[in-house]
Amino acid sequence: MSYGFLKLEGSPPLAGPVEHVGDMILLRTRSDMTKAEFAELHEGHLETNGMIERIALESSEISQDGRYSTDLTLRRLPPES
């Protein structure tokens, strides 16, 4: 598991541990944003291990981890041309 920095268009930067599973990415983060606020966000960029990927936000759920408040499911997007 690595650490990532997420910037969704229209939101403050978020950070936390990242788990890559195929084209999907799970980011656990601390945020005071509500599920409704996350629902308004769609695309952004994720930096992990020095690489920057374009992503789309698929879903947000309350984390069951205990240390983090939100689990974000992200989908990789093709690079911008």
Side-chain angles (χ1 to χ4, degrees):
M1 191 173 299
S2 54
Y3 202 80
F5 299 94
L6 175 65
K7 179 62 176 135
L8 293 166
E9 295 173 11
S11 80
L14 300 168
V18 174
E19 184 177 339
H20 296 265
V21 182
D23 284 343
M24 303 304 284
I25 302 165
L26 174 65
L27 172 72
R28 288 202 155 106
T29 190
R30 291 181 182 93
S31 175
D32 58 359
M33 292 176 61
T34 65
K35 189 170 178 125
E37 289 172 314
F38 276 113
E40 295 178 14
L41 305 173
H42 302 286
E43 292 185 13
H45 293 87
L46 176 68
E47 181 179 347
T48 312
N49 298 327
M51 293 178 43
I52 298 175
E53 298 180 272
R54 199 169 138 236
I55 56 84
L57 177 62
E58 291 288 315
S59 68
S60 65
E61 299 295 331
I62 295 172
S63 178
Q64 302 303 311
D65 179 86
R67 297 184 340 217
Y68 297 96
S69 59
T70 308
D71 289 342
L72 301 177
T73 302
L74 312 168
R75 179 176 37 88
R76 287 185 172 100
L77 295 173
E80 296 174 317
S81 320

